[in-house]
Amino acid sequence: MFGVRSCERDPLLKRPFCYFRKRGDEIDILYRVVGKMTSIMKGLRPGDKVEILGPLGNIYPMEEAECGAKIPLVIAGGVGIASVYPLLERLKGKGILFYGGRNKKEILLRKELREISKKMVVATDDGSLGFRGTAVEAAGDFLKGRDREGFVLYACGPNGMLKAASGLGVNGYIASEEKMACGIGVCLGCAVRTKDGYKRACKDGPVFRTGEILFD
Amino acid sequence: MFGVRSCERDPLLKRPFCYFRKRGDEIDILYRVVGKMTSIMKGLRPGDKVEILGPLGNIYPMEEAECGAKIPLVIAGGVGIASVYPLLERLKGKGILFYGGRNKKEILLRKELREISKKMVVATDDGSLGFRGTAVEAAGDFLKGRDREGFVLYACGPNGMLKAASGLGVNGYIASEEKMACGIGVCLGCAVRTKDGYKRACKDGPVFRTGEILFD
Amino acid sequence: MQGQRNKKDRKLEVRLGRLRLKNPVMTASGTAGYGAELAEFFDLSELGAIVLKGISLTPWQGNPTPRITETRCGMINSIGLQNVGLEVFLREKLPFVRQWDVPVIANILGTSAAEYTRLASALEDAGVEGIELNVSCPNVKEGGIAFGLDLKSFRALVRAVRKRIRRPVLIVKLSPGAPGIEEFSRAAENEGADAISLINTIPAMAIDVNTRRPLIKNRIGGLSGPAIKPIAVRMVYQASRAVKIPVIGMGGITTGEDAVEFMLAGATAVAVGTATFMDPMAALKVAGGIRAWMERHGIKSASAITGAMLA
Amino acid sequence: MQGQRNKKDRKLEVRLGRLRLKNPVMTASGTAGYGAELAEFFDLSELGAIVLKGISLTPWQGNPTPRITETRCGMINSIGLQNVGLEVFLREKLPFVRQWDVPVIANILGTSAAEYTRLASALEDAGVEGIELNVSCPNVKEGGIAFGLDLKSFRALVRAVRKRIRRPVLIVKLSPGAPGIEEFSRAAENEGADAISLINTIPAMAIDVNTRRPLIKNRIGGLSGPAIKPIAVRMVYQASRAVKIPVIGMGGITTGEDAVEFMLAGATAVAVGTATFMDPMAALKVAGGIRAWMERHGIKSASAITGAMLA
Ligand SMILES: Cc1cc2nc3c(=O)[nH]c(=O)nc-3n(C[C@H](O)[C@H](O)[C@H](O)COP(=O)(O)OP(=O)(O)OC[C@H]3O[C@@H](n4cnc5c(N)ncnc54)[C@H](O)[C@@H]3O)c2cc1C
Ligand SMILES: Cc1cc2nc3c(=O)[nH]c(=O)nc-3n(C[C@H](O)[C@H](O)[C@H](O)COP(=O)(O)OP(=O)(O)OC[C@H]3O[C@@H](n4cnc5c(N)ncnc54)[C@H](O)[C@@H]3O)c2cc1C
Ligand SMILES: Cc1cc2nc3c(=O)[nH]c(=O)nc-3n(C[C@H](O)[C@H](O)[C@H](O)COP(=O)(O)O)c2cc1C
Ligand SMILES: Cc1cc2nc3c(=O)[nH]c(=O)nc-3n(C[C@H](O)[C@H](O)[C@H](O)COP(=O)(O)O)c2cc1C
Ligand code: FES
Ligand code: FES
């Protein structure tokens, strides 16, 4: 994760984004236009400047998956795909991806994702592509009759999705999308309620162990 | 005069500018970069949008000058030249121009101005071009021994210059550069102290009769 | 067409006591003059109400310039209630704005309760639909804000004016500096105000670090515009929970969504001030924006937005 | 090099009572944690002082999320004084920040005068250079701001803490909602405060008009950032004219020129808060900006800027 800020004076605060792709000095961001900063980003032209602060926070631990002890079960909702894309790449085709969105239009990069995943299941709320329902429901169907101990979870998406994914009974990691102000751990704005009290999504996260976060 | 506003949300308020040149749908603005809005204007590229509100306020009355009853004595300080340029054009070579700036670099469009003026005297504070001193001092020198009744004054520039110009003893018109918020006469922010109480530079001006404004 | 428009308009209708407004949007006092200038830009009868520049018994000169300066997302003004005084207002200004089918609300300021009551009586006789007591102008030394900051004289003032007028709705414009906004709101309600309005500008200052001089000649002026909106929304929320009479919200409204935000917080109507300086059509655009928001959210009546914030 | 730097530094030196600061720039409480995170970005000893996140006697959980939201040129927070409590602070946090050659100022908050005095004593024993009484946090229900809004309990609190501590400078952080900023400033001075600091955040609220929910879970939070700067400059101006003790100014400072503006208005030192969220190096850049401004204006000593606004 890193923070992007407009060199203009409004908006004030940086916005958090994932490294979608990184090669040398270049960073690609995959983002959805939702508000002020993302609208400014959309309007940027070559040569325009933005401020970037990063890397910030932690990344998905990958030992169990890389050594082959567990099968990586990856769940992404919406732009959460930007977070798991580099993970899938580093997992070198071992990851099973459940990717959900509201509708077909929200499902991006199908071809690339298929190439870097062992298996990909798309889920849309309106059934306009793949499974009709959520990515977590699709993952739940897939897990039926399978030994959950054999998997390690990686999930990124809106809070509701993370909560549902935590309920799948698969241990692993979820990435929080809490709102941030400073991104460096000083403001305590991005608090995430955990078993051990509030933690900071920007500094102690954004990736937490399943079961660590308390969803209300 | 008209108001220009950035479509971005900062700065909030419109900034007043003169019609420097106007042909059909196109408006040229001659401006000095001094702060927020003018910096934004400098960075504009073809296709970028700004909001414009105008025309606002009054313009220099020209009857006495056009009918030949009086000789137009035009004094401009700094970007005040943007205000008197179209006046000089409409006076069709009848105007005598005293144009002052801090130094040579601040004196713009010498060739064009010479063409549209009957006579042009440049004055710079540091003497790097023309008369060393202010445009008003240069005009004062010129007036020595001449009958002031034969002239009509047109002056535009910073407040100090307008005050000095009013002291020349030539009747005519001066354009105020008071700061403005609304530009349409509703906020009373651009108040100018006159013999008849405060008037609004944006609506009752920016051009006032000499002697009308009370300088402190 | 006309029928359809009337139907639409009824959806936007809100009430301030006995007064019906076609829509919840009014001008903020001091940002619309006496109506003449805005009338060059749009049909004033499209407004919910027009609130005029503050008037005093005798003409006031106002403060020296510079009177205005822009700040980050806001502006400071110290106009100092420059106004033509009651007599000229009644003779020259009021008849003009009466030409439109729009409720006229006069904003008044005095240095004593007696001045306020004389102004209110005269304006009732002249037939204005509403009187807004300005007890919150930070830009005049005497009177005005003194009433807005001291609960006892505040109460006495509202009571005195209430006794004197019958027909016009009585609106009390609270000071954002009031110690205890709930207490002042309740006091206004108890003394018979038909509505309260807030917030007025917040005392503020800016200095030019190049010249080292204050950017406002009077040093301190009042801050308005988007910068103060979150403070204003909070005060409207607090005030509207303290009283049953309608609250008119203002402070930094530039869009229909800003207006909806105030209404969700508890405002029945809103006023547009500084935004009019950005765009003379701002008040109309705000009304259009409220309508568009209602259509998007399937809400049939503007009055249903008031206080409808979810938990 | 070192010599030159020291010379430069002395130009920037200012004093808060007995405490010398290398330069007038400190962090604002709650925006620099306990120092560890900022130390990853720059050498903390470049700061005039470091003011730590508010601490209470026992650990506080803080408020539910969302705790922050951006507004026009500002932000609202309702962290709710989440903190590790005195014991963990003394054991785990303070030793770390002590490693730098920078005065450490602890910001404290309690629900009773007794809690404040216990905190202050313990921190004096632990050797902090300054103690800032937070009587102005809008985000906790009990204590804190109650002292900041009531003159009598305010006086009693400052007096009690003053009696208890000797060595650390005592700074009182005033509430921007205090009814009469001059009165509270003088009360702090009379009760023995070495300095006052202002302003804390201003209570504010924002609502998402799409979801109709408050953007801060607790509904009301505190507004900070450039939006409030003109209000803060005005209050610093008023406070500094009311007292002889130094005033620490804050509220929306993002550049050296902003800091100079506060100093011209009367501040001896300044604190940088929200700007650190925009850029972790903000406080250092502000100090550099003050130096650059002094060079441009031929001013030899930072303390000469204080109150040097021209008419
Ligand atoms: C660790 C992390 C990584 C992220 N990575 C990406 C990414 O790679 N690509 C991407 O498109 N987005 C990502 N996001 C979300 C992204 O930060 C927000 O979309 C962005 O902040 C919106 O900024 P804005 O100025 O355009 O919207 P604003 O004008 O600030 O807000 C517009 C709307 O978006 C909502 N919103 C704002 N911030 C967030 C947030 N953090 N979470 C949920 N809703 C929010 C607001 O409530 C509002 O409704 C990430 C978020 C986090 C916390
Ligand atoms: C009737 C009128 C016509 C004008 N015509 C022109 C023109 O044709 N060309 C041109 O270059 N300028 C003109 N000006 C001046 C122009 O409006 C200002 O330069 C402009 O507002 C600066 O905006 P800014 O955002 O860049 O500066 P800001 O960031 O607002 O301010 C930067 C600095 O400029 C000063 N400043 C701002 N506005 C004014 C003002 N109105 N008068 C004096 N100082 C000011 C500020 O005090 C500050 O020191 C005119 C002004 C008036 C009143
Ligand atoms: C230039 C100016 C003049 C004002 N004059 C008055 C006035 O005469 N009476 C009054 O009650 N409020 C006056 N106000 C306050 C506004 O009515 C309004 O309360 C305030 O500006 C906040 O709204 P806004 O942010 O939309 O401008 C004035 C505000 C401005 C900016
Ligand atoms: C996230 C956040 C947390 C804060 N926590 C504290 C605190 O613990 N104690 C305190 O006295 N002030 C606290 N403040 C107030 C700041 O110290 C400062 O007074 C205020 O933010 C204005 O300065 P700024 O605009 O530069 O941020 C906090 C402010 C913010 C934004
Ligand atoms: S965003 Fe500030 S602590 Fe995480
Ligand atoms: S700028 Fe508002 S009245 Fe002239």
Side-chain angles (χ1 to χ4, degrees):
Chain A
M1 169 188 56
F2 56 96
V4 176
R5 203 169 83 83
S6 149
C7 292
E8 293 302 314
R9 302 194 293 180
D10 185 39
L12 294 182
L13 301 172
K14 293 179 293 288
R15 302 294 195 252
F17 292 97
C18 297
Y19 291 97
F20 172 58
R21 283 201 199 103
K22 227 180 112 177
R23 342 163 251 266
D25 274 357
E26 288 197 5
I27 298 170
D28 286 347
I29 305 176
L30 179 73
Y31 65 96
R32 182 190 304 287
V33 177
V34 298
K36 281 199 247 179
M37 185 63 207
T38 46
S39 301
I40 290 176
M41 286 163 63
K42 191 183 161 194
L44 291 176
R45 287 174 282 194
D48 285 348
K49 283 182 182 160
V50 292
E51 289 173 27
I52 279 192
L53 182 73
L56 303 171
N58 63 5
I59 55 171
Y60 296 107
M62 290 196 299
E63 297 73 19
E64 303 121 298
E66 279 180 328
C67 72
K70 307 234 175 178
I71 301 167
L73 188 83
V74 181
I75 308 183
V79 287
I81 200 69
S83 153
V84 299
Y85 190 99
L87 173 78
L88 287 165
E89 282 190 317
R90 275 179 298 152
L91 288 173
K92 301 204 178 95
K94 291 199 193 105
I96 302 181
L97 171 66
F98 296 87
Y99 176 17
R102 258 169 297 187
N103 51 46
K104 188 174 169 175
K105 264 181 65 187
E106 283 200 355
I107 304 297
L108 310 170
L109 299 164
R110 270 188 286 160
K111 195 167 148 283
E112 291 86 339
L113 287 165
R114 205 172 297 280
E115 274 167 22
I116 59 175
S117 310
K118 183 165 173 186
K119 175 187 164 78
M120 172 166 96
V121 177
V122 166
T124 52
D125 294 348
D126 64 357
S128 53
L129 191 71
F131 181 89
R132 177 196 291 269
T134 70
V136 177
E137 286 164 2
D141 279 3
F142 168 80
L143 286 170
K144 263 181 209 138
R146 289 192 161 87
D147 178 10
R148 283 155 209 233
E149 290 290 318
F151 295 92
V152 52
L153 180 73
Y154 296 99
C156 184
N159 257 323
M161 194 206 97
L162 297 181
K163 184 178 174 179
S166 307
L168 282 174
V170 178
N171 289 330
Y173 307 95
I174 58 182
S176 156
E177 281 193 356
E178 204 51 63
K179 280 203 197 174
M180 298 184 182
C182 72
I184 59 168
V186 294
C187 77
L188 308 185
C190 63
V192 173
R193 248 179 79 226
T194 74
K195 287 188 293 98
D196 313 311
Y198 280 115
K199 291 197 171 177
R200 298 162 302 180
C202 69
K203 188 87 179 171
D204 309 316
V207 176
F208 294 91
R209 294 205 68 97
T210 47
E212 201 178 350
I213 301 185
L214 303 178
F215 294 100
D216 3 68
Chain B
M1 172 189 51
F2 55 98
V4 175
R5 202 168 83 84
S6 150
C7 292
E8 293 303 313
R9 303 195 291 182
D10 185 37
L12 293 181
L13 300 173
K14 292 178 293 285
R15 303 292 196 255
F17 292 97
C18 297
Y19 291 94
F20 172 59
R21 284 202 199 103
K22 226 179 112 176
R23 342 165 249 266
D25 275 357
E26 287 195 8
I27 299 171
D28 288 347
I29 306 178
L30 180 73
Y31 66 95
R32 182 187 306 285
V33 177
V34 297
K36 282 198 247 179
M37 184 65 206
T38 45
S39 302
I40 291 176
M41 285 163 62
K42 192 182 161 194
L44 290 176
R45 288 174 281 192
D48 285 348
K49 284 183 183 164
V50 291
E51 289 173 27
I52 279 192
L53 182 73
L56 303 172
N58 63 5
I59 56 171
Y60 295 108
M62 291 196 299
E63 295 74 19
E64 302 121 296
E66 279 181 329
C67 72
K70 307 237 174 175
I71 301 167
L73 188 83
V74 180
I75 308 184
V79 286
I81 200 68
S83 152
V84 300
Y85 190 99
L87 172 78
L88 287 164
E89 282 191 318
R90 274 178 299 149
L91 288 173
K92 300 201 178 100
K94 292 199 192 108
I96 301 180
L97 171 66
F98 297 86
Y99 176 18
R102 258 169 298 187
N103 52 46
K104 187 174 170 175
K105 264 181 65 186
E106 283 200 355
I107 304 296
L108 310 170
L109 299 164
R110 270 188 286 161
K111 197 169 147 282
E112 291 87 338
L113 286 166
R114 206 172 298 281
E115 274 168 21
I116 58 175
S117 309
K118 182 165 175 186
K119 172 187 167 81
M120 170 165 99
V121 177
V122 167
T124 54
D125 293 348
D126 64 357
S128 53
L129 190 73
F131 181 87
R132 177 196 291 266
T134 69
V136 177
E137 287 163 4
D141 280 2
F142 168 83
L143 285 171
K144 265 183 205 131
R146 289 194 160 86
D147 178 11
R148 285 156 205 232
E149 291 288 320
F151 296 92
V152 53
L153 180 73
Y154 296 99
C156 183
N159 256 324
M161 192 206 98
L162 298 182
K163 184 178 174 179
S166 306
L168 283 174
V170 179
N171 290 329
Y173 307 95
I174 59 183
S176 157
E177 281 192 357
E178 204 51 62
K179 278 203 199 174
M180 297 183 182
C182 72
I184 59 168
V186 294
C187 77
L188 309 185
C190 63
V192 173
R193 249 179 78 226
T194 73
K195 289 188 289 110
D196 313 310
Y198 280 115
K199 290 199 174 177
R200 298 161 302 179
C202 70
K203 188 88 182 171
D204 309 317
V207 177
F208 294 91
R209 293 205 70 100
T210 47
E212 200 177 351
I213 300 185
L214 303 178
F215 295 97
D216 359 69
Chain C
M1 240 339 261
Q2 187 61 26
Q4 204 196 345
R5 168 148 156 237
N6 279 343
K7 216 157 140 205
K8 265 198 195 165
D9 279 349
R10 248 174 279 139
K11 279 196 190 173
L12 283 175
E13 196 175 279
V14 295
R15 300 182 62 155
L16 299 179
R18 297 172 303 287
L19 187 62
R20 274 173 211 273
L21 311 186
K22 283 188 217 86
N23 66 58
V25 183
M26 19 205 264
T27 54
S29 177
T31 66
Y34 302 119
E37 296 83 5
L38 286 191
E40 294 175 25
F41 290 93
F42 62 86
D43 175 359
L44 299 182
S45 62
E46 300 271 329
L47 290 169
I50 182 159
V51 183
L52 306 181
K53 171 74 188 162
I55 33 186
S56 50
L57 224 40
T58 49
W60 287 17
Q61 269 254 327
N63 291 329
T65 59
R67 291 177 171 185
I68 45 169
T69 194
E70 188 166 334
T71 62
R72 294 285 298 280
C73 295
M75 63 174 280
I76 304 178
N77 89 78
S78 85
I79 307 303
L81 219 86
Q82 176 183 336
N83 83 98
V84 296
L86 180 65
E87 207 185 299
V88 178
F89 170 75
L90 293 176
R91 197 175 56 227
E92 293 175 16
K93 305 295 181 181
L94 187 58
F96 182 85
V97 68
R98 295 263 52 149
Q99 296 174 274
W100 280 268
D101 174 28
V102 63
V104 171
I105 297 176
N107 176 282
I108 62 174
L109 191 137
T111 58
S112 65
E115 279 189 27
Y116 277 100
T117 52
R118 277 183 58 196
L119 280 160
S121 284
L123 288 160
E124 164 160 42
D125 294 346
V128 301
E129 280 77 15
I131 290 175
E132 183 175 54
L133 297 190
N134 179 0
V135 292
S136 46
C137 179
N139 290 322
V140 290
K141 289 218 176 62
E142 309 219 327
I145 200 156
F147 292 99
L149 299 179
D150 175 61
L151 195 59
K152 219 179 120 199
S153 47
F154 175 81
R155 268 189 219 285
L157 176 66
V158 179
R159 193 180 317 142
V161 177
R162 175 73 287 174
K163 266 202 215 138
R164 197 66 80 84
I165 61 168
R166 272 185 159 274
R167 223 186 20 80
V169 291
L170 175 60
I171 302 167
V172 179
K173 187 159 180 181
L174 300 177
S175 171
I181 199 69
E182 288 97 340
E183 229 177 331
F184 277 76
S185 303
R186 275 191 295 262
E189 179 174 47
N190 291 337
E191 300 301 344
D194 295 303
I196 54 180
S197 58
L198 67 165
I199 62 174
N200 211 315
T201 57
I202 303 176
M205 179 165 156
I207 304 169
D208 184 328
V209 297
N210 292 316
T211 62
R212 290 186 231 171
R213 289 183 200 285
L215 280 158
I216 293 283
K217 184 72 181 177
N218 255 17
R219 301 191 174 190
I220 295 177
L223 183 66
S224 63
I228 66 168
K229 196 186 71 173
I231 302 172
V233 170
R234 184 262 303 176
M235 297 190 96
V236 163
Y237 173 74
Q238 293 175 321
S240 67
R241 285 160 63 108
V243 297
K244 294 207 180 58
I245 53 175
V247 172
I248 302 163
M250 70 196 85
I253 295 175
T254 66
T255 65
E257 305 206 331
D258 291 339
V260 168
E261 190 177 354
F262 276 87
M263 294 174 78
L264 289 170
T268 297
V270 297
V272 174
T274 301
T276 293
F277 304 163
M278 299 160 61
D279 174 357
M281 309 282 285
L284 276 204
K285 289 180 183 170
V286 167
I290 297 174
R291 175 173 294 168
W293 184 91
M294 285 170 59
E295 276 163 16
R296 269 201 315 280
H297 286 78
I299 289 178
K300 298 272 179 301
S301 148
S303 57
I305 311 175
T306 300
M309 179 174 80
L310 303 176
Chain D
M1 243 333 266
Q2 188 62 26
Q4 203 194 346
R5 172 152 152 231
N6 280 342
K7 214 158 139 205
K8 262 198 195 164
D9 280 347
R10 247 174 281 139
K11 277 196 191 173
L12 282 175
E13 196 174 278
V14 297
R15 300 182 61 156
L16 299 179
R18 297 171 303 289
L19 188 62
R20 272 174 211 274
L21 310 186
K22 283 188 216 86
N23 66 59
V25 183
M26 20 205 262
T27 55
S29 178
T31 65
Y34 303 120
E37 296 82 7
L38 285 191
E40 295 174 24
F41 290 92
F42 63 85
D43 176 0
L44 299 182
S45 63
E46 300 269 327
L47 289 169
I50 180 160
V51 183
L52 307 181
K53 171 72 188 164
I55 32 184
S56 50
L57 223 40
T58 51
W60 288 16
Q61 270 254 327
N63 291 329
T65 59
R67 289 176 171 186
I68 44 170
T69 196
E70 188 166 333
T71 62
R72 294 286 298 278
C73 295
M75 64 174 279
I76 305 178
N77 89 79
S78 84
I79 308 303
L81 218 86
Q82 176 183 335
N83 83 98
V84 297
L86 180 64
E87 209 185 295
V88 178
F89 170 75
L90 292 177
R91 198 175 57 227
E92 294 176 14
K93 306 294 182 183
L94 185 58
F96 182 86
V97 69
R98 294 262 54 144
Q99 296 174 273
W100 280 267
D101 173 29
V102 64
V104 170
I105 297 176
N107 175 281
I108 62 174
L109 191 137
T111 58
S112 66
E115 281 189 24
Y116 276 99
T117 52
R118 278 182 57 195
L119 280 160
S121 283
L123 288 160
E124 164 159 44
D125 294 344
V128 301
E129 278 77 15
I131 290 175
E132 183 176 54
L133 297 189
N134 178 359
V135 292
S136 45
C137 177
N139 290 322
V140 291
K141 290 220 174 61
E142 308 219 328
I145 201 156
F147 293 99
L149 299 180
D150 175 61
L151 194 58
K152 220 179 119 202
S153 47
F154 175 80
R155 267 189 218 285
L157 175 67
V158 179
R159 193 181 317 143
V161 176
R162 176 72 288 174
K163 266 202 214 139
R164 197 67 81 83
I165 62 168
R166 272 187 160 274
R167 220 187 22 80
V169 293
L170 175 59
I171 302 166
V172 179
K173 186 159 178 180
L174 300 177
S175 172
I181 199 69
E182 289 97 341
E183 229 178 331
F184 276 76
S185 303
R186 276 191 294 262
E189 178 173 49
N190 291 338
E191 299 301 344
D194 295 303
I196 53 179
S197 58
L198 66 166
I199 63 174
N200 210 316
T201 56
I202 303 177
M205 181 166 156
I207 305 170
D208 183 328
V209 297
N210 292 315
T211 63
R212 290 187 232 170
R213 289 183 200 286
L215 280 158
I216 295 282
K217 183 73 181 175
N218 255 17
R219 300 189 174 192
I220 294 177
L223 184 67
S224 63
I228 66 168
K229 197 186 71 173
I231 301 172
V233 170
R234 182 264 303 176
M235 295 190 98
V236 163
Y237 173 75
Q238 293 175 320
S240 68
R241 285 160 63 109
V243 297
K244 295 207 180 61
I245 52 176
V247 172
I248 302 163
M250 71 195 84
I253 295 176
T254 65
T255 65
E257 306 204 330
D258 291 340
V260 168
E261 189 177 355
F262 276 89
M263 294 174 77
L264 289 170
T268 295
V270 296
V272 174
T274 301
T276 294
F277 305 163
M278 298 161 61
D279 175 357
M281 309 282 284
L284 277 204
K285 289 181 182 169
V286 167
I290 296 174
R291 175 173 295 168
W293 184 90
M294 285 168 59
E295 276 163 17
R296 271 201 315 278
H297 287 77
I299 289 178
K300 297 275 180 298
S301 148
S303 57
I305 312 173
T306 299
M309 179 174 81
L310 303 176

